[in-house]
Amino acid sequence: MESALNEAVAQIERAKAAGSPIVHSFFDEPTNTATYVVWDPVTRKAAIVDSVLDFDAAAGRTRTASADAVIAYVRDNGLTVDWLLETHAHADHLSAAPYLQKALGGQLAIGREIIRVQNVFGKIFNAGTDFERDGSEFDRLFDDGDRFAIGDIEAIALHVPGHTPADMAYVIGDAVFTGDTLFMPDYGTARADFPGGDARQLYRSIRRLMQLPDETRLFLCHDYKAAGRDQYVWETTVGAQRVGNVHVHEGVNEDDFVAMRTSRDATLSMPKLILPSVQVNMRGGHLPEPEANGTRYLKIPLDAL
């Protein structure tokens, strides 16, 4: 087992003895997205993971109801936000990180490979020279194995590419925030057909996470209610994924997974908010700069994706 994963395992064991972080979730049904406030009950320091800015695509209007609910929770519990964590540049919702940062503070962080995403999509959207493709829209770019903390709770970033090149899983105490890498065991795994995605990398990233202790809590970025299930669920465990994930449980080999994922992805439509989401999220959640008339615009590149 490699060093960053060894460190994550040791951290999880220490957290079980010293005390787990509190995790409070907010689920946005229009985008099927789970946002988390994870905090240290001793110091009341917190991180917000994968926030949502409400967006009416037909009207081109943003709203902040989802983010305001997060702000209310943070203030009601007397929390101090140290981190605004993005697991990747989401293609299905706009990030509310700049709005939350203005209200609550904290450092905005993502994986370093966001630079690769910025370069690819900067060209697709013809973003121009005013858009820096160096990750500078974020306060911190994590590399695999980078350590940080939320109050007294240890945390480590693990690079888990495949869905996109930039995906990170955040191990905070004994809780892991996986982004889109995994869904609930009865639903399976994320697609890998976006620019820079790779089904083989996704398989290896999932296998990496499955080396964490069985009882480790996994908090997922999305749920879509698998067939036969009536409720949304977004928390599971490593053990449940290892035994029961319908796409990648133990015994599924890499080549079979790649063939399944590639075939399945070929049948999927693009997420309905991919064009606005990526334009905003590659900028750290900031909207494009206003044009000469003072209005901000999102672009629709034809025949580009």
Side-chain angles (χ1 to χ4, degrees):
M1 194 183 297
E2 33 83 7
S3 60
L5 196 60
N6 272 327
E7 289 185 40
V9 170
Q11 174 188 297
I12 288 167
E13 296 299 333
R14 288 193 296 270
K16 288 191 294 185
S20 301
I22 294 171
V23 180
H24 186 84
S25 60
F26 300 81
F27 189 74
D28 179 59
E29 191 167 344
T31 63
N32 297 93
T33 302
T35 294
Y36 300 98
V37 178
V38 50
W39 54 284
D40 175 6
V42 176
T43 65
R44 306 192 88 79
K45 297 294 183 69
I48 299 170
V49 184
D50 290 338
S51 60
V52 173
L53 181 69
D54 305 307
F55 181 63
D56 182 342
R61 296 288 184 183
T62 61
R63 294 184 300 108
T64 60
S66 295
D68 289 337
V70 173
I71 291 170
Y73 176 83
V74 167
R75 289 176 173 166
D76 288 348
N77 285 277
L79 308 181
T80 300
V81 174
D82 284 349
W83 294 97
L84 301 156
L85 302 175
E86 298 289 343
T87 55
H88 64 295
H90 308 276
D92 38 39
H93 70 273
L94 279 63
S95 170
Y99 178 78
L100 292 170
Q101 189 174 44
K102 185 176 181 180
L104 301 171
Q107 295 185 72
L108 173 57
I110 199 168
R112 184 171 299 279
E113 288 299 307
I114 188 63
I115 296 171
R116 182 176 167 191
V117 174
Q118 289 176 330
N119 276 296
V120 170
F121 282 98
K123 294 173 184 175
I124 290 173
F125 292 114
N126 195 29
T129 57
D130 61 325
F131 172 49
E132 298 291 343
R133 296 163 173 83
D134 59 2
S136 58
E137 297 81 4
F138 300 85
D139 301 310
R140 173 79 181 269
L141 300 180
F142 284 119
D143 291 305
D144 184 57
D146 277 354
R147 306 303 303 261
F148 61 108
I150 299 169
D152 295 334
I153 294 177
E154 298 176 276
I156 187 169
L158 298 178
H159 187 210
V160 286
H163 173 60
T164 79
D167 281 64
M168 301 297 289
Y170 298 110
V171 186
I172 301 174
D174 62 349
V176 183
F177 300 84
T178 66
D180 287 13
T181 300
L182 282 163
F183 297 141
M184 289 299 292
D186 60 359
Y187 200 88
T189 57
R191 65 194 301 164
D193 61 334
F194 296 147
D198 186 299
R200 198 168 297 278
Q201 277 192 327
L202 179 62
Y203 178 90
R204 294 172 183 176
S205 293
I206 292 168
R207 285 285 177 243
R208 190 182 193 208
L209 291 176
M210 285 185 175
Q211 294 181 67
L212 297 172
D214 275 358
E215 65 275 15
T216 303
R217 298 180 292 165
L218 299 183
F219 294 90
L220 316 178
C221 190
H222 297 288
D223 187 55
Y224 301 96
K225 288 198 292 193
R229 174 156 55 83
D230 295 328
Q231 293 184 323
Y232 290 110
V233 187
W234 46 86
E235 180 182 350
T236 183
T237 65
V238 168
Q241 294 282 15
R242 184 185 294 122
V243 172
N245 188 288
V246 294
H247 291 167
V248 71
H249 57 80
E250 283 188 339
V252 175
N253 68 47
E254 184 172 316
D255 288 341
D256 287 345
F257 174 81
V258 170
M260 177 281 299
R261 191 67 265 172
T262 303
S263 175
R264 183 179 176 88
D265 288 350
T267 71
L268 301 177
S269 300
M270 286 291 102
K272 63 182 180 180
L273 293 183
I274 184 171
L275 295 177
S277 293
V278 174
Q279 287 181 77
V280 170
N281 295 336
M282 70 180 185
R283 293 177 166 89
H286 294 280
L287 300 176
E289 289 299 313
E291 298 193 7
N293 63 356
T295 301
R296 302 175 190 269
Y297 292 91
L298 296 171
K299 296 179 179 179
I300 302 177
L302 298 179
D303 303 323
L305 293 179

